[in-house]
Amino acid sequence: LLAASVEQQFGERVTGILLGGWQPFTDGNSRALLRARLIVGVLPEQGLSLQARWRQYRSSDSDVDGAYFNPDEYRNWDAGLSLRRRVGGWTVSGLAGAGRERVDDDSWQTTGIAELRAEGPLAGKARIAVDLRYSRAAGFAATDDYWYGSANISVIVPLAR
């Protein structure tokens, strides 16, 4: 992914981010993409913010033999509540939101997203991170019931210097 972004703070509690880029694939397809995010600190001392996000892309080649989700054009917006806090020695972050997406010229469909991450000490300087994710987006071209989830556990071990 080759991209450039700009970030601008508006007052004490509002931040805007704009990213434009190009994503080449090894099969010759590429995507021109645009993403924007607006973050409003609702209760900054509690780590709570509202986020509104827009993303879109246009593919150069729609024929990828069904290898991956690849419409000619994809648009998505969502909004949600975000949390990031320290609890003891742990950093906890999460997001819950909903929005709409459009694949090519089809009708707009409802989307949903939920994410939770906790990272904390394990042993010595090592840390552990647990990620849980749910998304109901980017698949309505295949079926209305499409969703995906993931659970990941990572062990982070700093290299000795």
Side-chain angles (χ1 to χ4, degrees):
L1 173 65
L2 301 171
S5 70
V6 293
E7 181 174 320
Q8 177 66 49
Q9 189 163 349
F10 304 97
E12 292 182 24
R13 294 188 177 198
V14 179
T15 302
I17 303 168
L18 182 65
L19 179 138
W22 176 69
Q23 182 178 20
F25 295 85
T26 57
D27 61 6
N29 182 33
S30 65
R31 292 178 179 165
L33 57 95
L34 177 66
R35 295 180 182 178
R37 182 179 297 209
L38 187 65
I39 304 165
V40 178
V42 178
L43 296 170
E45 60 282 353
Q46 300 299 321
L48 287 173
S49 64
L50 289 173
Q51 294 191 21
R53 306 184 299 184
W54 172 267
R55 61 185 179 141
Q56 69 181 44
Y57 64 79
R58 181 177 297 274
S59 296
S60 67
D61 183 3
S62 61
D63 184 13
V64 294
D65 294 327
Y68 50 91
F69 178 71
N70 188 56
D72 289 329
E73 188 173 74
Y74 177 79
R75 291 170 301 283
N76 169 263
W77 68 264
D78 59 34
L81 185 62
S82 165
L83 167 74
R84 182 174 174 90
R85 292 192 62 129
R86 284 199 162 280
V87 179
W90 289 77
T91 301
V92 178
S93 60
L95 172 71
R100 306 281 280 167
E101 73 177 354
R102 187 172 186 184
V103 176
D104 295 326
D105 290 323
D106 292 343
S107 62
W108 286 89
Q109 300 290 330
T110 300
T111 64
I113 186 169
E115 301 174 355
L116 179 63
R117 176 183 170 91
E119 181 179 324
L122 182 61
K125 293 185 179 182
R127 300 182 65 73
I128 188 167
V130 178
D131 287 286
L132 302 172
R133 297 176 186 264
Y134 163 84
S135 178
R136 188 173 189 278
F140 294 107
T143 175
D144 287 344
D145 295 328
Y146 177 85
W147 66 274
Y148 69 89
S150 66
N152 299 293
I153 298 174
S154 302
V155 175
I156 304 155
V157 180
L159 296 174
R161 289 187 175 192

